[in-house]
Amino acid sequence: MNVQIEESWKAHLQPEFEKDYFRTLTEFVRSEYSQYQIFPPGKLIFNAFNLCPFDKVKVVIIGQDPYHGPGQAHGLCFSVNDGVAFPPSLVNIFKEIKEDIGTATPPTGNLTRWAEQGVLLLNATLTVRAHQAGSHQRHGWEEFTDAAIRVLAEKRENLVFILWGSYAQKKGAFLDRNKHLVLSSAHPSPLSAYNGFFGNKHFSKTNEYLKIHGKTEINW
């Protein structure tokens, strides 16, 4: 398991790497990769951080778990590799983008292009066993990703935090709404998308906020 994390994130999260929970988590994750099929591939566990350095972050989208089907997960929440069929939540995200700002559905569900523009696509749990949703929850990842969100919220200003569904909303409950824009709605899953995800206009609201604060808008 050759895991590397981008230098600016490494510096900001250094205290976490030295905590007991992270040592335990590391042992658990190594053991899982040695025994089972785990997603994403080991080198992509910290992909969200590696594509989006600390000072480049403008927007944070919080997901829950990596996709657990073959070839889907590559370390960015809601995103799939090129050539992989769009999961239902991603289909609905693209529908809302089209409705909100008119951008046509792209040919790929790979959201690397968002990450490179400053969108941190962060799952709460960064690994999962194949075909076993939630299998790596409550082993320490949540504490680590909480720390990443907290350090961003404390040390940066005028970020946009996008919280879809009750899980993400709980994870972002502590955020200072006076310092950052916090956008909440139902989850894009087909089970809940019609209960407030569609029509949330989060993509145009994000860009309006970035523009007001002198930042380049995201090309969704």
Side-chain angles (χ1 to χ4, degrees), residues 22-23 41 48 52 58 63 65 78 94 99 115 117 158-159 192 197 208 213:
F22 196 84
R23 291 195 187 100
C52 193
K58 294 190 276 194
D65 238 26
F78 295 106
F94 288 146
E99 195 62 36
Q117 294 178 77
N158 305 322
L159 298 179
S192 56
F197 175 77
E208 281 163 24
H213 292 283

Side-chain angles (χ1 to χ4, degrees), residues 55-76:
D55 292 326
K56 299 279 172 63
V57 176
K58 294 190 276 194
V59 181
V60 181
I61 299 179
I62 297 176
Q64 189 164 356
D65 238 26
Y67 295 123
H68 52 81
Q72 291 180 302
H74 63 128
L76 305 177

